[in-house]
């Protein structure tokens, strides 16, 4: 009977031993799978480095940045009879209200004479990407610039077609492609016009200011990383004075700069020339771009 009991117990122990071995094998496979999955996840996560922050971490004062430029007095003629204190206040500008001076700041100027009113505003916006894994500060600033360019109904600059490829226009730039319009000519050093040519914005002999050619809105080159100019005349009748507003927007790294310059004559039938108005706005914009590169 004892031998019979031993024979009955041994098979049961063998079965338990086999089950325990099988369970250990399954545990080992499961642990190896988890380890491999964790290793793959770490490898994939370390392959994408976060984008670098933008070049600019703060913003200068636009009132001070523009007032430091000698271009300001040319844009805002001084009315007669101002005291020294009033003159200083005129060119010092009025700062816009801002809740975050490191992200968005602006400044405004107003000059009124019997002949016209001139308005100027300058704004700086520092763009920050809150998801640098998807886009850098510069990438985000470029998106903001492209949106402003699209709102101005200007084409995004593309490759330039050289003559002989069938796309060039021998007669000059097409009005439908303002990006191809040439920039206004700047006067030579010292401000004197070239011999035989009228100064920028000055009517040619025998013509009126309203008869001068319109330069129009267009993409600009040589200003910041990318830039455009938007030129608009107010809707007015033939006998009323028309105001002209030139807005220049340019991007330098992760900062968007806006310059808006408006000339509003008082005499009926007067139209501010596009060449002179655009040239003054561009000179100030160029001085601001140099200020950011210092």
């Amino acid at each position: 009977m004892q031998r019979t009991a031993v024979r009955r117990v041994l098979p049961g122990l063998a079965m338990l031993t086999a089950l325990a071995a099988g369970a250990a094998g399954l545990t080992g496979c499961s642990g190896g799978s988890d380890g491999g999955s964790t290793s793959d996840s770490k490898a994939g996560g370390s392959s994408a480095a976060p984008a670098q922050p933008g070049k600019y971490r703060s913003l200068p004062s636009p009132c001070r940045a523009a007032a430091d430029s000698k271009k300001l007095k040319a844009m805002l003629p001084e009315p007669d009879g101002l005291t020294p204190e009033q003159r200083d206040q005129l060119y010092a500008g009025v700062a816009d209200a801002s809740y975050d001076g490191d992200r968005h700041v602006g400044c405004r100027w107003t000059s009124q004479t019997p002949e016209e009113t001139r308005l100027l505003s300058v704004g700086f916006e520092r763009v920050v990407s809150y998801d640098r894994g998807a886009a850098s500060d510069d990438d985000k600033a470029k998106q903001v610039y492209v949106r402003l360019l699209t709102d101005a109904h200007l084409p995004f600059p593309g490759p330039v077609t050289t003559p002989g490829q069938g796309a060039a226009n021998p007669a000059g730039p097409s009005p439908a492609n303002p990006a191809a319009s040439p920039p206004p000519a700047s006067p030579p050093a010292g401000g004197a016009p070239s011999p035989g040519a009228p100064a920028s914005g000055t009517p040619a002999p025998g013509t009126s200011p309203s008869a001068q050619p319109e330069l129009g809105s267009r993409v600009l080159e040589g200003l910041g990383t990318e830039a455009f100019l938007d030129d608009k005349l107010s809707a007015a009748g033939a006998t009323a004075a028309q105001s002209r507003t030139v807005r220049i927007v340019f991007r330098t790294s992760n900062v968007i700069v806006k310059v808006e310059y408006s000339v509003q004559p008082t005499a009926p039938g007067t139209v501010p020339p596009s060449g002179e108005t655009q040239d003054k706005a561009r000179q100030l914009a160029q001085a601001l771009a140099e200020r950011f590169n210092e």
Side-chain angles (χ1 to χ4, degrees):
M1 291 180 64
Q2 291 179 352
R3 291 179 178 177
T4 302
V6 171
R7 284 195 298 268
R8 290 177 178 176
V9 172
L10 288 177
L13 291 174
M15 183 178 296
L16 290 174
T17 303
L19 291 174
L26 291 174
T27 303
C29 292
S30 176
S33 175
D34 290 345
S37 175
T38 303
S39 176
D40 292 344
S41 174
K42 290 181 179 178
S46 61
S47 61
Q52 294 296 317
K55 177 180 178 181
Y56 302 103
R57 307 293 183 89
S58 61
L59 292 172
S61 165
C63 293
R64 189 176 299 110
D68 288 344
S69 171
K70 296 180 180 179
K71 315 298 180 185
L72 194 65
K73 292 185 178 180
M75 301 177 74
L76 303 169
E78 178 186 334
D80 295 333
L82 290 185
T83 65
E85 292 78 9
Q86 291 173 328
R87 186 185 307 111
D88 293 341
Q89 184 178 4
L90 166 66
Y91 294 117
V94 178
D96 294 344
S98 176
Y99 297 100
D100 190 349
D102 286 335
R103 291 292 307 278
H104 195 283
V105 290
C107 193
R108 299 176 182 277
W109 295 261
T110 302
S111 173
Q112 290 182 315
T113 64
E115 294 76 24
E116 61 189 4
T117 296
R118 299 197 183 192
L119 307 173
L120 173 66
S121 67
V122 172
F124 302 153
E125 179 183 358
R126 186 174 66 92
V127 183
V128 176
S129 173
Y130 292 102
D131 184 7
R132 291 205 181 109
S136 66
D137 292 350
D138 281 23
D139 293 336
K140 195 68 176 178
K142 186 176 183 66
Q143 294 174 11
V144 174
Y145 171 82
V146 170
R147 185 175 69 248
L148 294 171
L149 182 70
T150 304
D151 292 344
H153 305 291
L154 289 173
F156 193 77
V160 179
T161 304
T162 57
Q165 294 180 341
N169 182 5
S174 170
N177 183 16
S181 302
S186 299
S194 58
S200 175
T202 303
T207 63
S208 63
S210 58
Q212 295 299 299
E214 291 291 314
L215 297 178
S217 304
R218 62 195 181 279
V219 172
L220 299 176
E221 295 182 357
L223 179 61
T225 307
E226 48 195 347
F228 71 86
L229 181 151
D230 190 16
D231 187 330
K232 285 186 172 59
L233 277 173
S234 64
T239 59
Q242 284 188 280
S243 63
R244 181 182 298 278
T245 299
V246 172
R247 184 171 64 117
I248 295 179
V249 177
F250 71 87
R251 178 178 74 88
T252 172
S253 186
N254 61 317
V255 170
I256 304 292
V257 178
K258 300 176 183 177
V259 175
E260 187 169 299
Y261 182 45
S262 179
V263 180
Q264 305 171 357
T266 56
T270 305
V271 179
S274 62
E276 179 183 357
T277 311
Q278 289 188 17
D279 193 49
K280 291 181 184 299
R282 287 192 65 177
Q283 288 182 30
L284 177 60
Q286 188 65 53
L288 294 175
E290 295 171 359
R291 167 68 175 79
F292 275 93
N293 291 331
E294 291 177 352

